[in-house]
Amino acid sequence: MAHLLIILSIGLPILISFFLYFIGKKREYVRDVLGTGVSGLTLIFVIALFPFALEGGHTYKLSDFIGSGITFRVDMVGFILSLITAFVWFLVSLYSVEYISHSHEKNRYWMFFILTLGATLGIFLSGDLLTLFIFFEMMTFTSYVLVIHDETPDALKAGKYYLYMAIGGGLVLLMGVFILFYELGSLDFAVLAAGINSLGNMKYVIAALLITGFGVKAGMVPLHIWLPKAHPVAPSPASALLSGILIKAGAFGVLKTTNQIFGWDSYLGSAVMLIGFMTMSLGAFMALFQDNAKRILAYSSMSQMGYILVGIGAAAYLGSHGGMAFVGTIYHILNHAVFKVTLFLTIGSIYFRTHELSLKRLGGFAKLLPVTTFAFVVAVLGIIGFPGFNGFASKTLLHESILEVYHLSGNNLFLLGEKIFKITGSLTFCYLIRLFVGVFLGKPAPDLEVKNPGSKYHLILGVLYVLSGVVVLVGVLPNFLINNMLIYAVLGSSFYGHEQIVRNASNFAFFDFHNILSSLLTLAIGGIIYIIFRYFNLFDKKLPSWLSIEYLIYNPAGRLLFYMVNSGFSSIDSIIDYFYNLAVKILFYIVSSGFNLIDFIINSRYRGIAKFFITLVKKLHLVDDTIEHSPISSGAKEVFEKTAWEIESPFKNRCERAGKVMSSFLIKHFRRVLNLNVSVFIFAVVVVILMFIFIQYTPRIKFL
């Protein structure tokens, strides 16, 4: 039963997606119903996997697929991520019915929208590294079509960035997969975990390749440059999924690498935590200076991925003590999916009415769109970690994990990381205040046109209500998910101590006075930063281009790569020319020597033949003289001469005709013969001369 549910969860969206394209050409209503229906059925199939995940997991392998086969496995971690994926996808499909109805290429959108759902679930339900890689790359190409859906110049340019980075990351990831398979002979996670320590320091090279490949999709520094370009130009439903779900696929790959394949490794955990701190702080800092509402949310997603990476690194660093970090990581993945999708969909509903994203032109929507305003405020309270909303619980666990790493290691760098964690929270509140004021409280541009909603706008409002309710419900009952779901994700892993999990995660007192005070203090600092930026007009400042990652890293790297490739190809071209010329000389020498040898052999043979004919002619002369002076009677001579003539005449005619044919052939093909070999031509001339001599002397033979 479990394997059937796995196949249906992944295969049904992939199969039906192609039918949506053709059905939509005739019946758009049927396409919309079928698209949302498939998302809903997929959600039901995923929910039905819960008992199997709770029992410890279930593995299913398609042995005959692509030779080596692909393996699926449902465990609690995969189930949780699949559940939030299917749940969010179903809500976004309802949102898309009205939003995409006014767009072009609606059939193409629905096809790749549902196809990406199947690919994403394939990632979270993968049972080995090969299956994970296949669906990871499949998701790259299917989601690319969603990014460029509007086909504007900006969308196509962002799509190129997305595709180039994703393909480059995929190739790096594939290199790591190849090395693992070459060294350990398998891509099964259990086999890799058992043998990874036998590789010595090579394992860190492999870890770097895998984390880089997955990190591109996760938007981690410095591989994030596609993210703020792709999110603003994609349709709002696609932007919501890119930020809420698809970048989690990259985080899932990093989680599999550090916590399942490599197990406990403090060096690897420290490296991932460092990258996480850089990602969270840079994303929040860059969001402060953006004017595009969706670009602000894009950098916010990058910052929130930093939180997740810090949790992944802390779990890997703490090892058997990392249960709380592991729970906090999965918890924040769930929470971020909900509140970030809500934020993108609220901004999307405003863009749907105005086709405008600039904060300088938007404003005043708090009165015009009260439901959208309510959903936005709830999502903001969730993402800033306000007590009573979902982000508060997961951020508190992650904060405690950082402190635990510091106390265990005694390294002050982790204490600095804890300060960065808090400052990032303050910056998050700062740029979201600006976003709220600019969109909902400010004055709109005089020429801003607000269109009336469509007939199915109630679907958009319904989706916002549901998402807002989830943010509040999880925030009010933070231990519910931990005790009934997240705790089993950790218990299903052999890397974490059970007692530590129960003590630090399951019974964690979230609404402790210290935790609430720490959260409020962080938000107060964010408010102060907002006032300072507002007073000095710092939000309108544009950062110099030389501070960008593209200017500092990618442009020099691109020029260096071009120089290296150009120099390399020039060197290769020179080497090829040298060896080509050398080969031609050697071949000419061999051919010339060969033909000289053949000429020598043929000339030797022909000299012998010429001597034979000369001797034969001399003997014929001797015979002829003997016959002339013989005492044979004249009558007998006449008889012999007549008989010889009768024999000789046809033979002579045939020889003459043969000589003419040979001469004609040689004349016709003279140039070809000459080009092949001069010696062959000389041989032909000698044969003709000998034949001519033979014919001329033939009449003198009287009695052959």
Side-chain angles (χ1 to χ4, degrees), residues 550-617:
E550 293 177 61
Y551 185 90
L552 293 174
I553 296 178
Y554 286 97
N555 290 343
R559 288 192 291 268
L560 178 62
L561 180 63
F562 177 79
Y563 174 78
M564 292 174 61
V565 170
N566 185 54
S567 302
F569 277 117
S570 298
S571 300
I572 293 173
D573 185 60
S574 301
I575 293 172
I576 291 175
D577 285 343
Y578 172 77
F579 282 104
Y580 176 79
N581 293 330
L582 181 62
V584 168
K585 291 179 180 179
I586 294 174
L587 181 62
F588 178 79
Y589 176 77
I590 294 173
V591 172
S592 176
S593 301
F595 277 120
N596 290 334
L597 180 61
I598 294 172
D599 286 345
F600 175 77
I601 295 173
I602 291 175
N603 289 335
S604 300
R605 295 292 180 90
Y606 290 165
R607 283 195 294 270
I609 295 172
K611 290 180 180 180
F612 169 77
F613 274 103
I614 292 173
T615 304
L616 180 62
V617 169

Side-chain angles (χ1 to χ4, degrees), residues 361-615:
R361 292 182 53 79
L362 294 173
F365 285 95
K367 294 181 179 180
L368 184 62
L369 303 175
V371 175
T372 302
T373 305
F374 169 76
F376 185 87
V377 170
V378 170
V380 167
L381 293 175
I383 192 174
I384 64 177
F386 192 84
F389 295 84
N390 63 349
F392 173 72
S394 55
K395 284 192 171 184
T396 301
L397 289 177
L398 292 175
H399 180 257
E400 293 298 319
S401 301
I402 297 172
L403 292 178
E404 192 169 355
V405 171
Y406 166 68
H407 292 307
L408 184 65
S409 65
N411 192 332
N412 289 327
L413 289 177
F414 293 113
L415 184 60
L416 175 62
E418 188 266 343
K419 304 305 178 186
I420 293 174
F421 185 95
K422 287 188 174 183
I423 293 174
T424 302
S426 300
L427 295 179
T428 301
F429 187 42
C430 177
Y431 65 70
L432 287 174
I433 293 176
R434 183 196 177 208
L435 181 59
F436 176 75
V437 171
V439 174
F440 296 97
L441 300 183
K443 292 184 179 181
D447 59 340
L448 182 66
E449 181 181 355
V450 182
K451 300 178 181 179
N452 293 325
S455 60
K456 300 176 183 177
Y457 192 72
H458 61 279
L459 290 175
I460 292 178
L461 298 181
V463 169
L464 296 180
Y465 272 126
V466 173
L467 290 170
S468 302
V470 173
V471 172
V472 175
L473 184 62
V474 174
V476 173
L477 301 172
N479 292 96
F480 179 81
L481 280 179
I482 295 177
N483 294 329
N484 293 279
M485 191 176 296
L486 297 177
I487 194 69
Y488 296 104
V490 187
L491 291 173
S493 173
S494 60
F495 296 119
Y496 307 106
H498 297 180
E499 181 181 353
Q500 190 75 11
I501 297 166
V502 175
R503 182 170 61 85
N504 288 339
S506 180
N507 299 322
F508 192 87
F510 289 101
F511 297 109
D512 179 80
F513 176 76
H514 174 75
N515 295 330
I516 295 176
L517 181 62
S518 176
S519 175
L520 295 179
L521 181 60
T522 300
L523 299 181
I525 295 174
I528 295 173
I529 295 174
Y530 172 78
I531 294 173
I532 295 173
F533 269 63
R534 192 75 175 181
Y535 182 80
F536 291 102
N537 294 322
L538 298 179
F539 289 119
D540 297 328
K541 300 295 182 181
K542 299 297 181 183
L543 296 176
S545 59
W546 55 266
L547 280 178
S548 67
I549 296 293
E550 293 177 61
Y551 185 90
L552 293 174
I553 296 178
Y554 286 97
N555 290 343
R559 288 192 291 268
L560 178 62
L561 180 63
F562 177 79
Y563 174 78
M564 292 174 61
V565 170
N566 185 54
S567 302
F569 277 117
S570 298
S571 300
I572 293 173
D573 185 60
S574 301
I575 293 172
I576 291 175
D577 285 343
Y578 172 77
F579 282 104
Y580 176 79
N581 293 330
L582 181 62
V584 168
K585 291 179 180 179
I586 294 174
L587 181 62
F588 178 79
Y589 176 77
I590 294 173
V591 172
S592 176
S593 301
F595 277 120
N596 290 334
L597 180 61
I598 294 172
D599 286 345
F600 175 77
I601 295 173
I602 291 175
N603 289 335
S604 300
R605 295 292 180 90
Y606 290 165
R607 283 195 294 270
I609 295 172
K611 290 180 180 180
F612 169 77
F613 274 103
I614 292 173
T615 304

Side-chain angles (χ1 to χ4, degrees), residues 222-233:
L223 308 171
H224 66 281
I225 62 170
W226 66 270
L227 194 147
K229 299 179 185 296
H231 284 57
V233 299

Side-chain angles (χ1 to χ4, degrees), residues 132-145:
L132 176 59
F133 174 79
I134 291 173
F135 283 99
F136 193 80
E137 295 306 305
M138 178 180 174
M139 185 195 70
T140 294
F141 292 103
T142 57
S143 59
Y144 163 76
V145 181

